[in-house]
Amino acid sequence: MSDRPTACMLLIGNELLSGRTKDANLAYIGARLNALGIRMAEARVLPDEEDVIVAAVNECREKFDYVFTSGGIGPTHDDITAACVAKAFGVALERNVEARALLLRNYSSAAELTEARLKMTEVPAGATLIENPVSHAPGFQIGNVFVMAGIPRILQAMFEGITDRLRGGAPMLSRAIGAAVPEGVMGGPLADLQSRFPDVEIGSYPFKRGAKVGAEIVLRTADPARLAEAAKAVRDLVTSHGVEPEETESGESGPI
Amino acid sequence: MSDRPTACMLLIGNELLSGRTKDANLAYIGARLNALGIRMAEARVLPDEEDVIVAAVNECREKFDYVFTSGGIGPTHDDITAACVAKAFGVALERNVEARALLLRNYSSAAELTEARLKMTEVPAGATLIENPVSHAPGFQIGNVFVMAGIPRILQAMFEGITDRLRGGAPMLSRAIGAAVPEGVMGGPLADLQSRFPDVEIGSYPFKRGAKVGAEIVLRTADPARLAEAAKAVRDLVTSHGVEPEETESGESGPI
């Protein structure tokens, strides 16, 4: 697993910390990165505060192979992500001619490009644009940092346009096996199994469906043979408790 | 606002980074802290990896007044939060007699307390338990760190049992005013408004409902008089664009 590049996501916006909005972007990007063989190693939810964002961008672009941000690239005063990323990289924030042309598609004349809207054409010097097929105002890439919109539909469209810029390892494969056996009973044998398969990540997620108590055992590895072996071992373990294992699609490897 | 204590939430679990699970706990705790006059200043989503969790606990308990964690306190091998917090504080992980008694409520005899289940009675030396009225396996508090379950129903019940341990400032008040005016048109005047009300946090969140494009303007401050003044200014601004403002409950100040 160590050859897979790592990523960190910075989810930017006071509304995510105040409880007003629930993030939906981390799960999307995390699942897509799995399929591309990149490991989402950490995420941070940050307020709209310059010093906090600048520090996090600089810490994370050093620490991880890729950094993806969501939020804070709109036309209002609380959209400060582009300015913060420019500051983090120590470069000027510039109005981008190409971004202006893209944005103009939304309007019948240049007179509609208010100062607020022109703010959306500002990117750090040296950045490459990220296209926005939904509402045209672009994101951008500078170094290993990819700056995208917070609105899920736009973020997803932006991300699908940049996958060829990412270099991944072997795609992460996963399998989920449901077992109507309490975790307190399976816990010991599962720990033994993890020792036997140190190269397979084994997660246990309890469920309670009516009177049925059990856990979903999720196996993750890039090696299809080891995945099959570990899955067989889990199925045998579940069967040894007199219960039929329920194999389900985990849905991690594709878009969700 | 500076007199309000700060908090950081650590959301622990590979499943949150792989896209398997969407977190629902940050929004709950964030909203409840608003009502208690505590500011959720940051959150981090962390993998089930000891060195990462230990480092984050130690960094965040220094940096923020309160740290809340969710996830990783179950009976299986991938539940490592208690051990990590003990290590972060440099104390032993101990089986707690009181936790054992609480856990026993779930079973008809002590023979059912498997090694895996006894793992749920392990807390750092010197910790105070956090009651779990749902499934009895407790969380714990050590210093300014509060360790809770990842399952939302349990986390919420745990949190409601510890609010008397938290010292907050004035509760955060908020108001949301909807305006069917594009952000690109309102952006300039809104920035001016933010300059006139530096003590009120003004957020703008765009919406598109059918053909109706606009933004919800969210005002946040602990000062009711300033909130009323800022709200009037926003309403006047919206009205000046020939549009009727729609005032809605923001729902931030109560449980959601």
Side-chain angles (χ1 to χ4, degrees):
Chain A
M1 293 201 278
S2 52
D3 66 328
R4 285 195 307 147
T6 57
C8 176
M9 186 141 186
L10 303 179
L11 309 161
I12 298 170
N14 291 340
E15 71 278 17
L16 298 167
L17 293 164
S18 73
R20 184 181 177 275
T21 304
K22 281 197 186 79
D23 167 69
N25 293 327
L26 176 60
Y28 183 85
I29 302 292
R32 291 290 290 121
L33 290 182
N34 282 331
L36 297 168
I38 296 168
R39 184 167 69 90
M40 182 71 88
E42 193 174 320
R44 299 192 185 184
V45 189
L46 306 175
D48 301 317
E49 287 172 28
E50 186 183 272
D51 53 344
V52 178
I53 298 172
V54 170
V57 167
N58 276 335
E59 182 188 337
C60 295
R61 72 189 176 99
E62 273 298 314
K63 210 163 162 181
F64 304 99
D65 295 308
Y66 297 109
V67 175
F68 300 94
T69 80
S70 69
I73 61 167
T76 53
H77 65 279
D78 54 339
D79 292 304
I80 62 172
T81 302
C84 292
V85 173
K87 192 162 183 182
F89 278 82
V91 300
L93 188 68
E94 298 178 341
R95 290 203 172 163
N96 182 290
V97 177
E98 196 190 336
R100 184 192 161 97
L102 289 168
L103 202 61
L104 254 181
R105 294 188 195 170
N106 290 333
Y107 310 106
S108 49
S109 84
E112 287 186 70
L113 285 183
T114 59
E115 276 301 302
R117 285 175 179 142
L118 284 169
K119 195 167 169 287
M120 291 192 286
T121 70
E122 292 173 353
V123 303
T128 311
L129 298 188
I130 296 177
E131 260 196 86
N132 166 359
V134 179
S135 59
H136 305 306
F140 62 85
Q141 172 192 357
I142 178 165
N144 61 343
V145 178
F146 296 78
V147 173
M148 300 182 287
I151 296 172
R153 204 162 56 98
I154 300 178
L155 172 122
Q156 291 170 21
M158 284 181 167
F159 182 81
E160 296 310 328
I162 57 162
T163 53
D164 60 352
R165 302 188 198 175
L166 308 174
R167 185 191 55 79
M172 197 62 162
L173 306 172
S174 70
R175 205 166 294 179
I177 298 168
V181 183
E183 279 193 313
V185 173
M186 289 253 285
L190 262 186
D192 296 341
L193 215 69
Q194 179 70 82
S195 307
R196 272 177 56 205
F197 292 90
D199 53 332
V200 179
E201 186 187 302
I202 306 181
S204 177
Y205 305 103
F207 63 70
K208 193 175 175 186
R209 298 175 192 135
K212 210 164 147 183
V213 172
E216 195 167 43
I217 313 302
V218 176
L219 307 172
R220 305 176 77 228
T221 170
D223 183 336
R226 290 293 281 169
L227 183 64
E229 282 173 50
K232 185 182 177 307
V234 170
R235 280 194 301 268
D236 289 349
L237 172 59
V238 175
T239 311
S240 76
H241 285 95
V243 167
E244 203 55 45
E246 299 166 33
E247 205 135 346
T248 54
E249 288 294 317
S250 83
E252 278 183 15
S253 305
I256 52 169
Chain B
M1 294 199 279
S2 53
D3 66 330
R4 284 194 308 146
T6 58
C8 176
M9 188 143 184
L10 304 179
L11 309 161
I12 298 170
N14 291 339
E15 71 278 18
L16 298 167
L17 293 165
S18 72
R20 184 180 177 277
T21 305
K22 283 198 185 79
D23 167 69
N25 292 327
L26 176 60
Y28 182 86
I29 302 293
R32 290 291 289 120
L33 290 182
N34 282 330
L36 296 168
I38 296 169
R39 184 167 70 90
M40 183 72 87
E42 192 175 321
R44 299 191 185 186
V45 188
L46 305 175
D48 301 317
E49 287 172 28
E50 186 183 275
D51 52 345
V52 178
I53 298 172
V54 170
V57 167
N58 276 335
E59 182 188 336
C60 296
R61 72 190 176 99
E62 274 297 315
K63 210 163 162 181
F64 304 100
D65 295 308
Y66 297 108
V67 175
F68 300 94
T69 79
S70 69
I73 61 167
T76 54
H77 65 279
D78 55 338
D79 292 304
I80 62 172
T81 303
C84 291
V85 172
K87 193 164 181 180
F89 278 82
V91 300
L93 188 68
E94 299 178 340
R95 291 202 170 163
N96 182 291
V97 177
E98 195 190 338
R100 183 192 162 97
L102 289 168
L103 203 60
L104 254 181
R105 293 187 198 171
N106 290 332
Y107 309 105
S108 50
S109 84
E112 287 186 71
L113 285 182
T114 59
E115 277 300 303
R117 285 175 178 142
L118 284 169
K119 194 167 168 289
M120 292 193 285
T121 69
E122 292 173 352
V123 303
T128 311
L129 297 188
I130 296 177
E131 260 196 85
N132 166 357
V134 178
S135 59
H136 305 306
F140 62 85
Q141 171 192 357
I142 178 165
N144 60 342
V145 178
F146 297 78
V147 173
M148 300 182 289
I151 296 171
R153 203 163 56 99
I154 300 178
L155 172 122
Q156 292 169 20
M158 283 180 167
F159 182 81
E160 297 310 327
I162 57 164
T163 53
D164 60 352
R165 302 187 198 175
L166 308 174
R167 185 192 53 79
M172 197 63 161
L173 307 172
S174 69
R175 204 166 295 181
I177 297 168
V181 183
E183 278 193 313
V185 174
M186 288 253 287
L190 262 185
D192 296 342
L193 214 70
Q194 179 70 85
S195 306
R196 271 177 55 206
F197 291 89
D199 53 332
V200 179
E201 185 187 303
I202 305 181
S204 176
Y205 305 103
F207 63 72
K208 191 174 175 187
R209 298 174 193 136
K212 210 164 150 182
V213 172
E216 195 166 44
I217 311 303
V218 176
L219 307 172
R220 305 176 77 228
T221 169
D223 182 334
R226 290 293 279 170
L227 184 64
E229 282 173 51
K232 185 182 178 307
V234 171
R235 280 193 302 267
D236 289 349
L237 172 59
V238 175
T239 311
S240 76
H241 284 93
V243 167
E244 202 55 44
E246 299 166 35
E247 204 134 349
T248 55
E249 288 294 318
S250 81
E252 278 184 15
S253 305
I256 52 171

